[in-house]
Short mmCIF file of all heavy atoms in Angstrom, two decimals:
data_model
loop_
_atom_site.label_atom_id
_atom_site.label_comp_id
_atom_site.label_asym_id
_atom_site.label_seq_id
_atom_site.Cartn_x
_atom_site.Cartn_y
_atom_site.Cartn_z
N LEU A 179 -0.48 2.59 33.74
CA LEU A 179 -1.58 1.51 33.76
C LEU A 179 -2.12 1.43 32.46
O LEU A 179 -2.38 2.42 31.74
CB LEU A 179 -2.57 1.90 34.78
CG LEU A 179 -3.39 0.74 35.43
CD1 LEU A 179 -2.57 -0.20 36.10
CD2 LEU A 179 -4.58 1.33 36.20
N THR A 180 -2.57 0.17 32.00
CA THR A 180 -3.30 0.05 30.67
C THR A 180 -4.62 0.59 30.69
O THR A 180 -5.35 0.40 31.74
CB THR A 180 -3.37 -1.43 30.27
OG1 THR A 180 -1.97 -1.94 30.17
CG2 THR A 180 -4.00 -1.55 28.91
N ALA A 181 -4.96 1.47 29.73
CA ALA A 181 -6.30 2.03 29.81
C ALA A 181 -7.21 1.47 28.70
O ALA A 181 -8.35 1.20 28.93
CB ALA A 181 -6.13 3.70 29.53
N GLY A 182 -6.61 1.17 27.52
CA GLY A 182 -7.46 0.69 26.36
C GLY A 182 -6.65 -0.40 25.63
O GLY A 182 -5.45 -0.58 25.80
N LEU A 183 -7.46 -1.11 24.85
CA LEU A 183 -6.89 -2.25 24.15
C LEU A 183 -7.61 -2.23 22.67
O LEU A 183 -8.80 -2.10 22.57
CB LEU A 183 -7.22 -3.45 24.98
CG LEU A 183 -6.71 -4.81 24.53
CD1 LEU A 183 -5.20 -4.82 24.54
CD2 LEU A 183 -7.25 -5.89 25.56
N CYS A 184 -6.77 -2.48 21.73
CA CYS A 184 -7.23 -2.51 20.43
C CYS A 184 -6.55 -3.56 19.64
O CYS A 184 -5.25 -3.60 19.83
CB CYS A 184 -7.16 -1.16 19.77
SG CYS A 184 -7.99 -0.99 18.20
N TYR A 185 -7.12 -4.42 18.92
CA TYR A 185 -6.51 -5.38 18.11
C TYR A 185 -6.27 -4.98 16.68
O TYR A 185 -7.10 -4.33 16.10
CB TYR A 185 -7.21 -6.68 18.22
CG TYR A 185 -6.86 -7.51 19.40
CD1 TYR A 185 -7.24 -7.13 20.65
CD2 TYR A 185 -6.11 -8.71 19.39
CE1 TYR A 185 -6.91 -7.77 21.85
CE2 TYR A 185 -5.74 -9.45 20.52
CZ TYR A 185 -6.15 -8.96 21.79
OH TYR A 185 -5.79 -9.56 22.88
N THR A 186 -5.03 -5.30 16.10
CA THR A 186 -4.82 -4.99 14.65
C THR A 186 -5.88 -5.89 13.97
O THR A 186 -6.31 -6.91 14.43
CB THR A 186 -3.44 -5.26 14.31
OG1 THR A 186 -3.21 -6.66 14.41
CG2 THR A 186 -2.42 -4.44 15.15
N SER A 187 -6.10 -5.54 12.74
CA SER A 187 -7.16 -6.27 11.98
C SER A 187 -6.66 -7.60 11.46
O SER A 187 -7.51 -8.42 10.93
CB SER A 187 -7.72 -5.44 10.90
OG SER A 187 -6.84 -5.07 10.07
N GLY A 188 -5.41 -7.83 11.58
CA GLY A 188 -4.86 -9.26 11.28
C GLY A 188 -4.93 -9.56 9.88
O GLY A 188 -5.31 -10.61 9.44
N THR A 189 -4.48 -8.51 9.05
CA THR A 189 -4.54 -8.76 7.60
C THR A 189 -3.42 -9.88 7.31
O THR A 189 -3.53 -10.61 6.34
CB THR A 189 -4.10 -7.44 6.88
OG1 THR A 189 -3.38 -6.69 7.78
CG2 THR A 189 -5.36 -6.79 6.37
N THR A 190 -2.42 -10.01 8.16
CA THR A 190 -1.61 -11.24 8.11
C THR A 190 -1.45 -11.87 9.50
O THR A 190 -1.20 -11.32 10.35
CB THR A 190 -0.13 -10.73 7.78
OG1 THR A 190 0.21 -9.64 8.70
CG2 THR A 190 -0.02 -10.27 6.32
N GLY A 191 -1.92 -13.10 9.42
CA GLY A 191 -1.87 -13.90 10.71
C GLY A 191 -3.05 -13.47 11.70
O GLY A 191 -3.94 -12.81 11.27
N ASP A 192 -2.90 -14.03 12.92
CA ASP A 192 -3.94 -13.63 13.92
C ASP A 192 -3.84 -12.17 14.28
O ASP A 192 -2.80 -11.54 14.23
CB ASP A 192 -3.74 -14.48 15.18
CG ASP A 192 -4.24 -15.78 14.97
OD1 ASP A 192 -5.14 -16.11 14.21
OD2 ASP A 192 -3.56 -16.78 15.72
N PRO A 193 -5.00 -11.58 14.71
CA PRO A 193 -4.98 -10.19 15.21
C PRO A 193 -4.10 -10.08 16.41
O PRO A 193 -3.85 -11.10 17.21
CB PRO A 193 -6.48 -9.89 15.65
CG PRO A 193 -7.22 -10.98 14.95
CD PRO A 193 -6.32 -12.14 14.81
N LYS A 194 -3.37 -9.01 16.53
CA LYS A 194 -2.39 -8.77 17.65
C LYS A 194 -3.00 -7.59 18.56
O LYS A 194 -3.40 -6.55 18.01
CB LYS A 194 -1.10 -8.41 17.17
CG LYS A 194 -0.42 -9.69 16.45
CD LYS A 194 1.07 -9.57 16.38
CE LYS A 194 1.58 -8.60 15.19
NZ LYS A 194 1.64 -9.07 13.93
N GLY A 195 -2.88 -7.72 19.85
CA GLY A 195 -3.33 -6.69 20.82
C GLY A 195 -2.41 -5.70 21.07
O GLY A 195 -1.22 -5.90 21.36
N VAL A 196 -2.89 -4.42 21.02
CA VAL A 196 -2.09 -3.20 21.26
C VAL A 196 -2.72 -2.60 22.57
O VAL A 196 -3.82 -2.14 22.63
CB VAL A 196 -2.07 -2.22 20.16
CG1 VAL A 196 -1.22 -1.03 20.41
CG2 VAL A 196 -1.59 -2.86 18.86
N ALA A 197 -1.85 -2.52 23.66
CA ALA A 197 -2.40 -1.99 24.86
C ALA A 197 -1.81 -0.60 25.09
O ALA A 197 -0.73 -0.24 25.17
CB ALA A 197 -1.93 -2.96 26.08
N TYR A 198 -2.80 0.42 25.20
CA TYR A 198 -2.46 1.79 25.31
C TYR A 198 -2.49 2.13 26.82
O TYR A 198 -3.40 1.59 27.51
CB TYR A 198 -3.50 2.75 24.71
CG TYR A 198 -3.72 2.48 23.18
CD1 TYR A 198 -5.02 1.86 22.76
CD2 TYR A 198 -2.75 2.63 22.32
CE1 TYR A 198 -5.22 1.52 21.39
CE2 TYR A 198 -2.99 2.25 20.91
CZ TYR A 198 -4.26 1.74 20.50
OH TYR A 198 -4.44 1.44 19.14
N THR A 199 -1.55 2.96 27.34
CA THR A 199 -1.60 3.31 28.65
C THR A 199 -2.17 4.73 28.83
O THR A 199 -2.41 5.45 27.84
CB THR A 199 -0.16 3.43 29.26
OG1 THR A 199 0.58 4.48 28.56
CG2 THR A 199 0.72 2.19 29.21
N HIS A 200 -2.62 5.01 30.04
CA HIS A 200 -3.12 6.42 30.27
C HIS A 200 -2.20 7.37 29.75
O HIS A 200 -2.54 8.43 29.17
CB HIS A 200 -3.43 6.54 31.83
CG HIS A 200 -4.70 5.88 32.31
ND1 HIS A 200 -5.82 6.47 32.35
CD2 HIS A 200 -4.88 4.55 32.54
CE1 HIS A 200 -6.68 5.59 32.77
NE2 HIS A 200 -6.17 4.40 32.98
N ARG A 201 -0.93 7.14 30.06
CA ARG A 201 0.06 8.18 29.63
C ARG A 201 0.23 8.26 28.14
O ARG A 201 0.19 9.38 27.60
CB ARG A 201 1.53 7.75 30.29
CG ARG A 201 2.64 8.52 29.88
CD ARG A 201 3.89 7.82 30.38
NE ARG A 201 5.11 8.03 29.59
CZ ARG A 201 5.86 9.10 29.65
NH1 ARG A 201 5.61 10.01 30.51
NH2 ARG A 201 6.83 9.37 28.77
N SER A 202 0.28 7.14 27.48
CA SER A 202 0.42 7.21 26.05
C SER A 202 -0.78 7.83 25.42
O SER A 202 -0.72 8.69 24.43
CB SER A 202 0.68 5.83 25.39
OG SER A 202 -0.41 4.91 25.60
N ASN A 203 -1.99 7.60 25.96
CA ASN A 203 -3.22 8.18 25.39
C ASN A 203 -3.15 9.64 25.68
O ASN A 203 -3.60 10.39 24.71
CB ASN A 203 -4.42 7.57 25.99
CG ASN A 203 -4.79 6.27 25.37
OD1 ASN A 203 -4.57 6.12 24.13
ND2 ASN A 203 -5.50 5.42 26.08
N THR A 204 -2.87 10.05 26.80
CA THR A 204 -2.76 11.57 27.07
C THR A 204 -1.76 12.23 26.21
O THR A 204 -2.07 13.29 25.62
CB THR A 204 -2.49 11.66 28.56
OG1 THR A 204 -3.32 11.01 29.32
CG2 THR A 204 -2.58 13.20 28.96
N LEU A 205 -0.57 11.68 26.08
CA LEU A 205 0.39 12.37 25.18
C LEU A 205 0.04 12.34 23.87
O LEU A 205 0.21 13.41 23.19
CB LEU A 205 1.76 11.62 25.40
CG LEU A 205 2.37 11.86 26.90
CD1 LEU A 205 3.68 11.07 27.02
CD2 LEU A 205 2.75 13.32 27.10
N HIS A 206 -0.57 11.29 23.34
CA HIS A 206 -1.05 11.21 21.99
C HIS A 206 -2.10 12.31 21.75
O HIS A 206 -2.11 12.95 20.68
CB HIS A 206 -1.69 9.91 21.69
CG HIS A 206 -2.22 9.67 20.24
ND1 HIS A 206 -3.50 9.89 20.00
CD2 HIS A 206 -1.54 9.46 18.98
CE1 HIS A 206 -3.63 9.75 18.68
NE2 HIS A 206 -2.58 9.40 18.17
N ALA A 207 -3.01 12.53 22.64
CA ALA A 207 -4.00 13.56 22.58
C ALA A 207 -3.39 14.94 22.46
O ALA A 207 -3.79 15.79 21.64
CB ALA A 207 -4.93 13.54 23.70
N MET A 208 -2.42 15.15 23.27
CA MET A 208 -1.75 16.46 23.44
C MET A 208 -1.12 16.73 22.04
O MET A 208 -1.20 17.81 21.37
CB MET A 208 -0.71 16.50 24.55
CG MET A 208 -1.18 16.34 25.85
SD MET A 208 -2.06 17.66 26.41
CE MET A 208 -3.04 16.94 27.79
N ASN A 209 -0.41 15.74 21.52
CA ASN A 209 0.36 15.84 20.22
C ASN A 209 -0.60 16.08 19.03
O ASN A 209 -0.37 16.99 18.23
CB ASN A 209 1.17 14.61 19.95
CG ASN A 209 2.37 14.53 20.87
OD1 ASN A 209 2.91 15.55 21.33
ND2 ASN A 209 2.79 13.29 21.22
N THR A 210 -1.70 15.43 19.05
CA THR A 210 -2.60 15.52 17.83
C THR A 210 -3.42 16.74 17.87
O THR A 210 -3.94 17.12 16.84
CB THR A 210 -3.49 14.17 17.69
OG1 THR A 210 -4.10 13.96 18.90
CG2 THR A 210 -2.64 13.09 17.35
N MET A 211 -3.64 17.35 19.05
CA MET A 211 -4.46 18.58 19.05
C MET A 211 -3.77 19.74 18.82
O MET A 211 -4.39 20.80 18.55
CB MET A 211 -5.33 18.69 20.38
CG MET A 211 -4.50 18.90 21.54
SD MET A 211 -5.43 18.42 23.02
CE MET A 211 -4.86 19.56 24.26
#
Side-chain angles (χ1 to χ4, degrees):
L179 202 66
T180 301
L183 189 56
C184 190
Y185 276 68
T186 62
S187 59
T189 27
T190 48
D192 281 331
K194 293 198 283 276
V196 180
Y198 308 110
T199 63
H200 283 262
R201 174 186 151 85
S202 67
N203 278 336
T204 305
L205 292 174
H206 178 267
M208 301 290 162
N209 287 327
T210 50
M211 69 203 207

